[in-house]
Amino acid sequence: MLKKNSFVALLALLTLSFGFAAKAQQVERLEPSSWWIGFQNPRVQVLVYGQDIATLQASVDHPGVALEKTIAVENPNYLFLDLLIDETAQPGEVKIDFKQGKRVRTSAMFELLEREAGSASREGFNQSDAIYLIMPDRFANGKTENDEIPGMLEKLNREDPYGRHGGDLEGIRQRLDFIADMGFTAIWINPVLENDQPQSSYHGYAITDYYRVDQRLGSNEEYRQLVQEARSKNIKIIKDMVFNHCGHKHWWMDDLPMGDWVNQYPEFTRSNYRLSTVADPYAAKADLDLTTKGWFDTSMPDMNLTNELVRNYMIQNSIWWIEYAGLQGIRMDTYPYPDKEAMAEWIKRVKAEYPDFSIVGEAWISQASKLAYWQKDFPNQDGYNSEMKLLMDFPMAEALGAAFNEGEGWNTGLQRLYDVLADDHLYRYPKHLVVFAENHDLGRMGHFYGGDINKMKLAIAFLGTVRGIPQWYYGSELLMMGDGGASHGAIRQNYPGGWPGDERDAFTSEGRSATENELIDYLSAVLNYRKTSEVLQQGHTLHFLPENQVYVYFRYLGKDALMVVMNNKDNEATELDTARFNEILKDYKSGREVVSGQTFQSLNKIKIPAKSAFIIELKP
């Protein structure tokens, strides 16, 4: 019989030899935990996380599913499993066993799903759409019970411009009709994934779990239901995604799979944000590395997409969300900052599964000559093809911010808009640019235009009739103010009426001022007309140099045409002699202004008030 001390020593030896005696090994995370049968690429790579999981041998015994490859990395708490899913596989749970010798130490369940009928052929957003941009924490609070979640780091604080205010997915769902009535057919929602950060987590760009909607916004299922209900109202949902960085409180940051999972430096090193270095044929490697490998912020570790496992993880995550939620579009944040070859591979893999799906990239570049580098099929000297057909038109946004505040000059005032369109020769697909005057970073049109409703209407008329896909920022229909350069918190306001107890409900005409209703009515008239106008969606452009602070351009398709006249004078109406436009106007005798309904029995002279626009549907 063993003495007590001898028994304790033997038990300690067994514990050291077989770690499971002290703590049973288990799978703490399986990402993704589900996949679908019938993709063009039948393979999926599963990240498995658990204490010393790499010391065990994985196995799968399920008809139509084969474990092709097991990848162990430098951290024994991770395994990567390459699964091959045959087309003969049946939906259901796939059990993955983890063995030590012949003994199963732990198991995990991987769900195999059937794809929704027609999933691969879904239509993305396009020139027929108008996009409404929403920051969900600031739009409407549909469920107050999820304002604070036990265990999550940041609590509710509506008094803090950078705090959490309680807006959620349910708040958006309840206002879908309001959005549709204004004429919008797509909603770009700022990131909805978990941001369990200690502060300033409301914006969504510091993700801590790529497979989970932030509980303060709702659940994965609520997100999917929102997409489905929006689709039933002919509204497409565009998901905001971030590949460049995660949040510093992401679960893997305390136990990275590999040393190069994120780009790391001996001490914090910030990006220089100089995107020109990526396309610059003369750029120093040190400058380029700082652009693409420096951290976006102290709380945003920079993901290393040159690592094949990282790249595969992120690409699969985007495909998972498209299929799970039924998405019709993705807006990719900070598109040029990660490894550019990895980003091109991402788009090709998504398009292989969803040929008509739409992805737009944020390349915050204000010169068309540099922005064009990032559009698909541009003949870059270095042979790079981004595969990104849609881009955010930042040159146009910059021009719109100034054009209506200036008098006529060689390159000022309305000439700014003309010159941006004149640069369309640089783009392979100019009609696929997303045009906007503002967003959650730049600032509000109300600020740019000093609260002038007439300037706002000029911007609406232009955005609604120029080539491309128009995008609007929530709340600007109420003439909300705010300078993004001074404070992001100041341009991400709560929508009045979105919270219980608000003094007024601006989602209703009764809760809005006369000026607000006037602006919403104008916006709605332009966008609802655009919904059914093939000329505006698909037509060509003919424009004439601005003269006497008046800019005239035409959109035409076949025998149909629209004439847009913009008078930028502050206090003077203009009687426009239209003889100089005869090369196109010779085919038309009369017209109707689409917002006011005003008719023009003759097009020889058009009198237009100061600081206003006419959108004239031409008649032969």
Side-chain angles (χ1 to χ4, degrees):
M1 184 173 179
L2 290 171
K3 294 182 179 179
K4 182 177 179 181
N5 288 345
S6 300
F7 177 76
V8 170
L10 179 60
L11 182 61
L13 180 62
L14 288 171
T15 299
L16 289 172
S17 302
F18 304 99
F20 59 86
K23 180 182 179 182
Q25 287 171 288
Q26 60 183 1
V27 174
E28 296 179 32
R29 287 185 179 268
L30 198 73
E31 296 185 347
S33 59
S34 60
W35 204 248
W36 290 265
I37 303 163
F39 279 124
Q40 291 295 313
N41 179 4
R43 291 171 175 81
V44 60
Q45 188 172 85
V46 181
L47 178 155
V48 186
Y49 179 72
Q51 185 66 38
D52 290 325
I53 199 70
T55 63
L56 304 179
Q57 183 178 3
S59 66
V60 173
D61 184 12
H62 188 92
V65 180
L67 176 55
E68 276 197 325
K69 188 178 181 181
T70 300
I71 303 170
V73 293
E74 58 197 65
N75 186 337
N77 296 334
Y78 289 85
L79 273 180
F80 293 84
L81 308 179
D82 287 354
L83 301 181
L84 175 64
I85 302 172
D86 190 88
E87 60 183 13
T88 63
Q90 295 298 308
E93 290 192 328
V94 177
K95 187 181 181 186
I96 305 175
D97 288 329
F98 297 86
K99 302 177 180 178
Q100 191 169 54
K102 294 184 178 181
R103 183 176 177 182
V104 175
R105 293 300 180 188
T106 189
S107 299
M109 304 306 294
F110 180 80
E111 191 174 11
L112 203 54
L113 304 166
E114 200 163 8
R115 298 183 73 186
E116 181 181 331
S119 175
S121 58
R122 73 186 64 198
E123 180 188 61
F125 65 94
N126 52 48
Q127 299 97 294
S128 68
D129 292 303
I131 303 169
Y132 192 64
L133 166 58
I134 292 175
M135 181 155 283
D137 181 66
R138 305 300 170 86
F139 187 64
N141 189 349
K143 289 174 63 176
T144 57
E145 58 265 34
N146 64 10
D147 287 354
E148 293 189 1
I149 301 295
M152 297 196 80
L153 297 175
E154 189 173 15
K155 306 305 179 185
L156 190 74
N157 185 356
R158 283 191 70 189
E159 302 304 314
D160 182 359
Y162 291 91
R164 288 225 167 230
H165 291 190
D168 51 31
L169 297 176
E170 176 61 18
I172 297 173
R173 189 197 66 78
Q174 293 172 6
R175 272 75 180 186
L176 288 175
D177 288 335
F178 166 77
I179 295 167
D181 288 346
M182 284 192 291
F184 294 101
T185 57
I187 304 174
W188 156 23
I189 306 176
N190 289 133
V192 299
L193 298 183
E194 181 188 274
N195 273 233
D196 194 10
Q197 297 281 113
Q199 61 186 21
S200 301
S201 66
Y202 70 96
H203 52 68
Y205 289 96
I207 295 167
T208 56
D209 190 328
Y210 279 95
Y211 281 96
R212 188 177 193 179
V213 167
D214 196 294
Q215 296 175 76
R216 292 160 293 192
L217 298 179
S219 65
N220 285 15
E221 181 57 31
E222 285 178 290
Y223 183 61
R224 179 161 61 178
Q225 289 172 358
L226 170 63
V227 175
Q228 292 172 347
E229 185 165 341
R231 190 191 309 171
S232 73
K233 298 176 183 293
N234 296 314
I235 297 175
K236 303 167 184 177
I237 298 295
I238 302 168
K239 185 177 179 59
D240 204 337
M241 288 192 168
V242 191
F243 278 18
N244 180 63
H245 49 264
C246 64
H248 77 299
K249 290 295 185 179
H250 191 287
W251 64 266
W252 59 40
M253 291 305 298
D254 290 331
D255 193 24
L256 287 171
M258 309 160 75
D260 68 348
W261 191 260
V262 299
N263 292 308
Q264 300 191 69
Y265 295 83
E267 57 187 21
F268 172 73
T269 302
R270 190 184 296 275
S271 172
N272 57 23
Y273 312 111
R274 296 287 189 174
L275 293 180
S276 57
T277 63
V278 186
D280 182 0
Y282 312 118
K285 185 177 183 300
D287 292 334
L288 174 61
D289 284 350
L290 200 57
T291 301
T292 59
K293 297 179 182 179
W295 285 25
F296 218 69
D297 202 353
T298 53
S299 60
M300 295 178 176
D302 197 74
M303 302 295 295
N304 177 20
L305 267 65
T306 64
N307 180 314
E308 184 180 357
L309 296 175
V310 178
R311 181 166 68 250
N312 213 34
Y313 179 94
M314 301 305 289
I315 292 172
Q316 287 184 168
N317 177 258
S318 66
I319 293 172
W320 190 91
W321 278 110
I322 294 169
E323 193 70 25
Y324 170 80
L327 300 173
Q328 290 175 281
I330 289 173
R331 179 262 187 184
M332 179 54 71
D333 182 67
T334 55
Y335 182 76
Y337 285 92
D339 178 69
K340 64 184 182 182
E341 299 294 347
M343 299 306 287
E345 179 187 337
W346 163 59
I347 293 179
K348 285 191 284 188
R349 285 178 58 179
V350 170
K351 297 289 277 186
E353 305 297 347
Y354 310 96
D356 297 322
F357 190 78
S358 297
I359 300 171
V360 61
E362 181 209 30
W364 193 336
I365 300 169
S366 298
Q367 301 84 34
S369 59
K370 295 181 175 66
L371 182 60
Y373 178 90
W374 294 102
Q375 193 174 51
K376 177 180 168 65
D377 299 333
F378 188 79
N380 292 311
Q381 286 186 11
D382 60 4
Y384 176 68
N385 191 336
S386 76
E387 304 294 337
M388 176 75 75
K389 201 169 186 178
L390 285 77
L391 289 171
M392 307 299 295
D393 193 349
F394 277 93
M396 187 67 80
E398 186 172 286
L400 274 167
F404 306 130
N405 294 326
E406 301 173 333
E408 185 176 330
W410 184 256
N411 58 1
T412 60
L414 295 174
Q415 187 63 37
R416 290 181 182 271
L417 306 181
Y418 181 99
D419 286 344
V420 172
L421 286 176
D423 279 339
D424 275 6
H425 68 93
L426 292 167
Y427 301 111
R428 280 293 185 260
Y429 311 102
K431 293 179 184 177
H432 288 75
L433 296 172
V434 174
V435 291
F436 61 103
E438 53 174 5
N439 61 22
H440 59 291
D441 291 322
L442 288 175
R444 295 272 184 187
M445 277 193 283
H447 166 73
F448 300 147
Y449 303 147
D452 189 325
I453 187 175
N454 293 320
K455 294 178 182 179
M456 294 286 288
K457 287 182 178 180
L458 282 169
I460 291 169
F462 187 76
L463 289 170
T465 59
V466 75
R467 58 90 179 110
I469 307 166
Q471 173 249 298
W472 185 265
Y473 186 37
Y474 84 96
S476 287
E477 62 272 15
L478 302 179
L479 261 174
M480 282 185 178
M481 307 288 281
D483 179 5
S487 167
H488 278 171
I491 62 172
R492 299 167 181 178
Q493 302 98 315
N494 299 338
Y495 207 105
W499 276 254
D502 280 358
E503 292 183 1
R504 66 182 183 118
D505 184 359
F507 289 107
T508 67
S509 59
E510 297 79 11
R512 297 191 289 261
S513 69
T515 300
E516 290 168 346
N517 277 321
E518 181 183 348
L519 189 60
I520 284 185
D521 288 346
Y522 190 85
L523 174 67
S524 302
V526 172
L527 293 186
N528 279 298
Y529 177 83
R530 191 182 182 282
K531 275 184 185 179
T532 59
S533 173
E534 288 190 34
V535 172
L536 291 179
Q537 295 171 14
Q538 303 295 338
H540 310 291
T541 299
L542 173 67
H543 66 164
F544 293 78
L545 283 164
E547 286 187 359
N548 196 27
Q549 297 192 60
V550 176
Y551 180 30
V552 177
Y553 60 93
F554 295 81
R555 300 296 309 281
Y556 64 97
L557 186 66
K559 295 182 179 180
D560 297 325
L562 280 167
M563 179 183 188
V564 182
V565 184
M566 309 186 79
N567 182 4
N568 201 28
K569 294 177 183 176
D570 288 327
N571 301 302
E572 184 182 342
T574 295
E575 186 170 73
L576 184 67
D577 186 335
T578 63
R580 69 183 286 239
F581 316 124
N582 194 48
E583 65 185 82
I584 185 169
L585 270 187
K586 67 181 185 300
D587 297 322
Y588 302 95
K589 305 298 183 187
S590 62
R592 182 186 69 88
E593 209 284 320
V594 302
V595 176
S596 67
Q598 177 183 349
T599 58
F600 298 86
Q601 297 304 321
S602 170
L603 298 171
N604 292 334
K605 292 187 183 297
I606 296 174
K607 187 172 183 179
I608 180 169
K611 271 294 188 282
S612 66
F614 281 164
I615 304 168
I616 303 172
E617 187 178 65
L618 299 176
K619 306 293 183 183

